[in-house]
């Protein structure tokens, strides 16, 4: 034991600069990710604010909050919507982020390259609240821009806020538009780190630009793509609450395709004040996300060990 502590102390002293740089991130991780896990016990308690987390009585049976969570069927619907929409976001996001990064990497004129980068990355800095207002002015039945265009062509206006299936496509489009610029940063960095001798050797062999992308760029950034895919799969049960609440709000007519676990939990907590049920839903989200992450990591390690997280 003493030898291990001595070795640990020596390691800290030898790399004190690196550990000091990691310290702020470690503190934030502990405060906002690990300490809140203590609150998961409220999923098994009849929580009330007067008694607090520790003082609140244990619920009987311990699975009662989970039973209530799935009793109405709304949680099952929210679970399906969360997984389905996240799969669309991950799949289309990967295609657009990787495609834009490859396109950006192939550009040669620096001024044009800077303009393209600015144009793609700018939407990331726009708040979802602003995007929600933009969407409302676009899809509003009476005064929306889309219906105004339809009227010009003598077509019947569409009540977009009563069309649940249309919002699957709308949400994907807004997600790609806003997040592609941010998501392509890692791919651009990976492409920039590729040794130019690979491209030079391929050009000597007569490779075209498409062949350079297919046989040099894509294989060498595949580990980065797999790693990012795994990280996204780990969040497959967590929806972007800001996006869904800003674009959909409390429109019950769209719940069949757009009600996700985050909005379902928030709505039930706000209306019913049931902290135990909300905590049970959060616990359920975490367990499923962890299981998906472990499964995907196992598959990645089997087919491409360099891309696995662990």
């Amino acid at each position: 034991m003493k030898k291990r502590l001595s070795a640990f102390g020596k390691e800290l002293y030898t790399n004190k600069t690196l550990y000091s740089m990691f310290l702020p991130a470690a503190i934030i991780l502990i405060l906002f990710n690990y300490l809140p896990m203590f609150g998961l016990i409220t999923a098994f308690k009849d929580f009330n604010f007067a008694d607090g987390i520790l003082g609140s009585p244990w619920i009987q049976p311990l699975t009662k909050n989970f039973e209530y969570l799935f009793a109405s069927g709304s949680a099952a619907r929210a679970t399906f919507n969360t997984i389905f929409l996240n799969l669309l976001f991950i799949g289309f996001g990967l295609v657009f982020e990787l495609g834009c990064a490859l396109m950006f990497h192939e550009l040669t004129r620096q001024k044009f390259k800077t303009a393209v980068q600015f144009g793609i990355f700018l939407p990331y800095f726009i708040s979802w609240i602003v995007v929600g207002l933009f969407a409302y002015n676009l899809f509003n039945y009476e005064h929306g821009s889309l219906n105004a265009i339809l009227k010009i062509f003598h077509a019947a206006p569409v009540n977009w806020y009563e069309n649940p299936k249309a919002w699957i496509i709308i949400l994907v489009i807004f997600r790609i538009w806003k997040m592609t610029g941010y998501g392509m940063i890692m791919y651009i960095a990976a492409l920039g780190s590729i040794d130019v001798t690979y491209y030079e050797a391929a050009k000597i062999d007569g490779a075209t630009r498409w062949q350079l992308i297919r046989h040099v760029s894509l294989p060498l950034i595949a580990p980065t793509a797999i790693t990012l895919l795994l990280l996204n799969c780990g969040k497959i049960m967590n929806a972007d609450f800001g996006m869904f609440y800003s674009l959909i709000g409390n429109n019950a007519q769209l719940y069949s395709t757009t009600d996700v676990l985050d909005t379902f939990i928030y709505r039930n907590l706000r209306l019913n004040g049931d902290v135990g049920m909300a905590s049970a839903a959060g616990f359920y989200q975490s367990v499923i996300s962890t299981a998906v992450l472990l499964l995907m990591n196992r598959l990645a390690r089997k087919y491409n060990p360099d891309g696995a997280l662990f």
Side-chain angles (χ1 to χ4, degrees):
M1 186 66 180
K2 290 182 178 180
K3 289 183 178 180
R4 290 183 179 180
L5 290 174
S6 178
F8 179 69
K10 186 177 180 180
E11 169 68 18
L12 287 177
Y13 180 77
T14 304
N15 299 296
K16 56 182 180 294
T17 303
L18 294 176
Y19 285 113
S20 63
M21 294 172 63
F22 171 70
L23 187 60
I27 293 173
I28 292 173
L29 189 67
I30 292 171
L31 289 177
F32 294 99
N33 292 82
Y34 284 96
L35 288 181
M37 291 176 68
F38 172 74
L40 287 176
I41 65 172
T42 56
F44 308 98
K45 287 197 168 193
D46 185 11
F47 178 82
N48 62 81
F49 290 97
D51 296 327
I53 295 177
L54 295 177
S56 297
W58 295 96
I59 201 166
Q60 297 297 331
L62 290 177
T63 58
K64 185 176 181 180
N65 282 326
F66 294 91
E67 293 172 1
Y68 172 74
L69 178 64
F70 293 100
S72 65
S74 298
R77 179 192 65 191
T79 299
F80 173 80
N81 290 340
T82 303
I83 296 174
F84 177 66
L85 289 172
N86 272 329
L87 286 175
L88 292 179
F89 295 155
I90 292 171
F92 283 100
L94 177 64
V95 171
F96 277 86
E97 290 165 12
L98 190 54
C100 289
L102 290 168
M103 177 194 70
F104 182 80
H105 183 67
E106 293 296 318
L107 296 177
T108 54
R109 295 185 179 181
Q110 188 59 40
K111 290 185 178 179
F112 182 67
K113 195 173 183 178
T114 303
V116 170
Q117 184 181 19
F118 176 78
I120 296 176
F121 198 71
L122 180 63
Y124 176 73
F125 294 100
I126 301 176
S127 168
W128 278 118
I129 301 297
V130 177
V131 176
L133 292 173
F134 170 72
Y136 179 79
N137 285 287
L138 192 63
F139 298 113
N140 182 267
Y141 180 74
E142 296 180 356
H143 310 292
S145 302
L146 284 181
N147 283 339
I149 294 173
L150 291 175
K151 289 178 182 178
I152 293 175
F153 292 96
H154 305 287
V158 178
N159 194 340
W160 299 99
Y161 286 98
E162 293 182 0
N163 190 346
K165 293 183 179 179
W167 278 88
I168 297 175
I169 301 173
I170 293 170
L171 288 171
V172 171
I173 291 173
F174 274 108
R175 177 78 176 189
I176 291 172
W177 171 75
K178 192 174 188 302
M179 303 302 294
T180 295
Y182 179 78
M184 63 185 277
I185 292 176
M186 294 297 294
Y187 296 114
I188 293 175
L191 287 167
S193 65
I194 297 176
D195 194 338
V196 293
T197 56
Y198 290 111
Y199 293 106
E200 293 172 355
K203 288 178 181 178
I204 292 173
D205 290 337
T208 61
R209 177 167 288 189
W210 167 245
Q211 289 173 328
L212 290 174
I213 294 173
R214 181 181 177 185
H215 298 290
V216 179
S217 298
L218 287 176
L220 291 177
I221 65 172
T224 301
I226 294 173
T227 300
L228 293 176
L229 180 63
L230 288 174
L231 292 173
N232 287 327
C233 286
K235 299 181 291 184
I236 199 167
M237 292 293 289
N238 298 91
D240 190 335
F241 176 80
M243 178 184 73
F244 283 93
Y245 200 75
S246 298
L247 294 177
I248 307 300
N250 291 317
N251 189 348
Q253 293 176 314
L254 302 180
Y255 283 170
S256 60
T257 60
T258 63
D259 190 27
V260 291
L261 282 171
D262 294 71
T263 53
F264 171 78
I265 294 169
Y266 170 77
R267 190 170 62 253
N268 280 273
L269 183 61
R270 183 170 60 86
L271 295 177
N272 303 326
D274 194 340
V275 177
M277 188 280 296
S279 182
F283 189 88
Y284 164 70
Q285 280 183 292
S286 300
V287 170
I288 300 299
S289 296
T290 303
V292 171
L293 178 61
L294 292 174
L295 175 63
M296 294 299 294
N297 186 74
R298 185 173 182 179
L299 293 175
R301 190 170 64 247
K302 181 178 180 181
Y303 294 102
N304 192 337
D306 293 334
L309 293 174
F310 48 87

